[in-house]
Amino acid sequence: MISGKGSNLAAILEAGVPVKAVVSNRSGVGGLDIARAAGIQIAAIERKAFAGRTEWEDAMAGFIEAAGCNLVALAGFMRILSGAFIDRFKGRIVNLHPSLLPDFKGLDTHARALAAGKKEHGCTAHWIIPELDEGPIIRQAKVKIRPEDTPQTLQERVLAAEHMMYPQVIKDILAGRVDLPE
Ligand code: GRF
């Protein structure tokens, strides 16, 4: 599930992960071009095209289920999903968050890590539960913060760490090497 550039999707594909389908909540984004070029079935399912949030989520869930996905990986997906949607994929839906959770849930994590004077930052792959950015942590990758870092330079290094870590997390889950959340 994506919302934008799809740099994580590209890394996942380059790592040889068998991606069955890609859904984006925004049309015309780079991630959809990447998926299309890889011959993967895609759907742009925009919230504004639906009367209510439930109908929007049902459309995304229906597309994912019809594609026969075993695992749902959010990769730069920037909307909050309801408990009902998450329960539909309970135990097989993961997210990648650009901070060392539980620090810096939510947005603008790089600027916040710098403002907090942190010495290190990074990214976290975690199982998704209804509470935002709260699910059991699967793996983290750390990035040293440098004195000259800006939110942009820090984000670039965190993104590189994401591209290294997330595809491997997904491969490990699919190979049964990661404990499922109870
Ligand atoms: C990245 O910063 C990632 O940490 C977050 O979404 C952003 C964009 O990801 N999850 P992508 O380039 O669209 O994969």
Side-chain angles (χ1 to χ4, degrees), residues 53 57 74 79-91 93 95 105 126-136 181-182:
R53 176 196 170 105
E57 290 191 337
L74 273 58
R79 294 291 299 254
I80 294 175
L81 296 164
S82 72
F85 181 95
I86 292 163
D87 286 344
R88 215 158 152 173
F89 299 103
K90 197 166 175 59
I93 184 166
N95 184 42
K105 296 174 183 142
H126 64 93
W127 295 105
I128 297 182
I129 63 173
E131 291 71 33
L132 181 68
D133 297 335
E134 294 263 349
E182 60 280 343

Side-chain angles (χ1 to χ4, degrees), residues 1-12 31 74-78 95-99 109-110 122-123 155 158-159 162-163 166:
M1 295 180 80
I2 64 166
S3 297
K5 260 192 345 291
S7 72
N8 279 289
L9 170 63
I12 289 163
L74 273 58
F77 187 76
M78 302 306 273
N95 184 42
L96 174 68
H97 181 74
S99 80
T109 63
H110 313 298
C123 56
Q155 182 194 15
V158 170
L159 213 45
E162 292 174 10
H163 298 164
Y166 205 28

Side-chain angles (χ1 to χ4, degrees), residues 13-162:
L13 292 171
E14 276 153 35
V17 174
V19 177
K20 285 188 174 177
V22 171
V23 58
S24 172
N25 67 294
R26 291 172 58 220
S27 52
V29 293
L32 288 173
D33 298 334
I34 290 170
R36 191 182 298 114
I40 295 165
Q41 59 176 313
I42 58 174
I45 301 180
E46 299 191 334
R47 170 69 185 82
K48 64 177 187 261
F50 296 83
R53 176 196 170 105
T54 305
E55 290 83 353
W56 170 64
E57 290 191 337
D58 286 351
M60 291 192 294
F63 174 74
I64 291 165
E65 287 166 351
C69 300
N70 305 315
L71 177 69
V72 180
L74 273 58
F77 187 76
M78 302 306 273
R79 294 291 299 254
I80 294 175
L81 296 164
S82 72
F85 181 95
I86 292 163
D87 286 344
R88 215 158 152 173
F89 299 103
K90 197 166 175 59
R92 56 195 183 100
I93 184 166
V94 293
N95 184 42
L96 174 68
H97 181 74
S99 80
L100 295 175
L101 291 173
D103 289 348
F104 312 119
K105 296 174 183 142
L107 299 173
D108 299 327
T109 63
H110 313 298
R112 289 160 60 201
L114 289 173
K118 288 287 184 183
K119 295 282 173 281
E120 60 182 16
H121 188 37
C123 56
T124 302
H126 64 93
W127 295 105
I128 297 182
I129 63 173
E131 291 71 33
L132 181 68
D133 297 335
E134 294 263 349
I137 290 174
I138 300 169
R139 200 165 301 163
Q140 296 187 305
K142 292 184 179 177
V143 164
K144 279 253 169 291
I145 290 182
R146 298 171 183 156
E148 72 276 13
D149 266 327
T150 64
Q152 180 58 35
T153 60
L154 187 52
Q155 182 194 15
E156 281 159 15
R157 288 211 310 285
V158 170
L159 213 45
E162 292 174 10

Side-chain angles (χ1 to χ4, degrees), residues 12 15-18 71 166-177:
I12 289 163
V17 174
L71 177 69
Y166 205 28
Q168 193 53 54
V169 165
I170 292 168
K171 282 181 171 180
D172 289 347
I173 291 171
L174 294 175
R177 291 192 290 264

